[in-house]
């Protein structure tokens, strides 16, 4: 039983609430402007509550040898769910978290402190600007989970951004992004962007989202070397809400006709329909 009281605070770019999960003793839900952003269980950092986070976790688990320490950059901080997950599953990893909302970062580390020796460095900065200042070939993994409100900012949806991500990653590095979309799928242009910078692309989402029946999350994975899509498909199929792993000809069909978008024409991801990600 969690008898903690909620914490609410205005941050630099919104209004954040940390709400205790009554069913788990030290678990918390973070919302910003009413939209769920992160879920953290301080006693069980490997517990990933949100379906998209579980899918990101499946991809992370399959990178290199199990348990090997990684150099990871997270664009978007939230409640630091995935940095905590990696600190637990891959001890010794070096992680940089880039979050534009300094006040949100301060709230999270104050109320939900990271464990000693987590190896996580926090940076209050714009994701694209920080990425452009980072050295080449400095990361094994780049995780992007950046939303302004409920939309991915325009400067993180362009071809130039995809090339910056590729520059920062090592040759065997992997890019992961949490995206949100629905038919007619604006994210197809993001896939076209990343197809210019990486040889391998994978999209993971529930079948209903991929068929355009509803708005929802989709996980984009990009790499220069082949990905073990069969193993990933087995993991996602075993989830409570099974997802489909699209790659190869199926993904090329999904992307058909989509063109890369440069900075000058880039726009933020679509506004979710009312109630798509709300709670309560």
């Amino acid at each position: 039983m969690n008898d903690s009281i909620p914490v609410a605070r205005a941050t630099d770019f919104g209004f954040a609430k940390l709400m205790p999960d009554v069913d788990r003793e030290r678990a918390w839900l973070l919302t910003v402007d009413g939209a769920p952003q992160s879920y953290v269980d301080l006693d069980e950092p490997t517990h990933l509550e949100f379906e998209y986070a579980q899918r990101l976790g499946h991809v992370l688990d399959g990178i290199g040898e199990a348990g090997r320490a990684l150099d990871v950059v997270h664009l978007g901080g939230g409640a630091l769910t995935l940095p905590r997950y990696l600190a637990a599953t891959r001890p010794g990893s070096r992680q940089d978290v880039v979050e534009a909302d300094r006040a949100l970062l301060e709230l999270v580390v104050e109320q939900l402190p990271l464990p000693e020796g987590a190896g996580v460095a926090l940076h209050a900065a714009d994701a694209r600007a920080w990425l452009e200042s980072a050295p080449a070939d400095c990361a094994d993994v780049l995780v992007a989970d950046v939303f302004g409100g409920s939309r991915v900012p325009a400067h993180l949806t362009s071809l130039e951004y995809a090339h910056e991500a590729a520059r920062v990653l090592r040759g065997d590095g992997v890019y992961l992004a949490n995206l949100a979309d629905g038919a007619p799928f604006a994210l197809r242009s993001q896939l076209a962007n990343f197809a210019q910078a990486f040889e391998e692309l994978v999209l993971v989402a529930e079948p209903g989202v991929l068929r355009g029946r509803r708005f929802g999350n989709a996980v984009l994975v990009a790499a220069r070397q082949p990905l073990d899509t069969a193993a990933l498909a087995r993991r996602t199929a075993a989830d409570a809400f099974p997802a489909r792993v699209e790659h190869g000809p199926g993904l090329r069909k999904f992307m058909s006709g989509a063109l890369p978008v440069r900075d000058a024409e880039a726009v933020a991801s679509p506004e979710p329909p009312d109630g798509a990600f709300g709670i309560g």
Side-chain angles (χ1 to χ4, degrees), residues 75-102:
L75 303 180
L80 309 176
T81 303
L82 287 177
R84 299 174 201 269
Y85 179 84
L86 284 169
T89 59
R90 294 178 178 266
S93 293
R94 295 186 302 176
Q95 303 187 72
D96 288 286
V97 176
V98 185
E99 169 59 58
D101 195 327
R102 180 185 296 274

Side-chain angles (χ1 to χ4, degrees), residues 55-74:
R55 292 162 195 156
L56 290 169
H58 292 324
V59 179
L60 292 168
D61 290 345
I63 295 173
E65 305 82 33
R68 176 171 68 88
L70 298 170
D71 293 335
V72 185
V73 173
H74 302 264

Side-chain angles (χ1 to χ4, degrees), residues 69 122 127 130 189 263-264:
L122 305 177
W130 191 93
S189 65
D263 278 334

Side-chain angles (χ1 to χ4, degrees), residues 22-266:
V22 296
D23 296 321
R24 299 175 74 95
E25 188 174 348
R26 297 179 71 223
W28 295 81
L29 171 69
L30 169 68
T31 68
V32 177
D33 294 335
Q37 294 288 327
S38 302
Y39 181 99
V40 167
D41 187 329
L42 297 178
D43 290 332
E44 194 178 343
T46 58
H47 174 74
L48 300 175
E49 180 76 8
F50 294 167
E51 287 86 2
Y52 84 83
Q54 294 167 16
R55 292 162 195 156
L56 290 169
H58 292 324
V59 179
L60 292 168
D61 290 345
I63 295 173
E65 305 82 33
R68 176 171 68 88
L70 298 170
D71 293 335
V72 185
V73 173
H74 302 264
L75 303 180
L80 309 176
T81 303
L82 287 177
R84 299 174 201 269
Y85 179 84
L86 284 169
T89 59
R90 294 178 178 266
S93 293
R94 295 186 302 176
Q95 303 187 72
D96 288 286
V97 176
V98 185
E99 169 59 58
D101 195 327
R102 180 185 296 274
L104 178 61
L105 268 183
E106 291 172 350
L107 171 66
V108 168
V109 297
E110 170 193 306
Q111 299 292 325
L112 311 176
L114 287 163
E116 277 299 314
V120 178
L122 305 177
H123 311 273
D126 174 78
R128 175 76 177 268
W130 191 93
L131 200 64
E132 290 173 347
S133 71
D137 305 319
C138 69
D140 299 307
V141 183
L142 175 55
V143 183
D145 190 5
V146 183
F147 285 83
S150 297
R151 306 176 71 186
V152 178
H155 66 311
L156 303 182
T157 68
S158 69
L159 177 62
E160 290 88 342
Y161 165 72
H163 281 297
E164 279 300 315
R167 182 188 65 82
V168 166
L169 284 166
R170 296 176 179 133
D172 59 351
V174 179
Y175 175 88
L176 300 82
N178 174 36
L179 306 174
D181 205 351
F185 296 114
L187 66 78
R188 295 190 310 124
S189 65
Q190 293 196 53
L191 291 166
N193 294 337
F194 279 87
Q196 297 288 312
F198 294 89
E199 287 75 22
E200 303 288 331
L201 291 183
V202 172
L203 192 66
V204 186
E206 287 183 34
V209 173
L210 290 172
R211 294 188 186 116
R213 293 177 180 168
R214 67 179 186 83
F215 195 97
N217 292 95
V219 169
L220 165 63
V221 188
R224 297 187 185 92
Q225 298 187 7
L227 296 159
D228 191 345
T229 53
L232 180 59
R234 287 194 296 271
R235 295 188 190 103
T236 60
D239 287 337
F241 295 92
R244 201 164 80 206
V245 175
E246 282 289 359
H247 62 98
L251 189 56
R252 286 193 290 274
K253 182 179 179 182
F254 180 82
M255 294 167 55
S256 179
L259 297 174
V261 176
R262 293 193 171 272
D263 278 334
E265 294 83 35

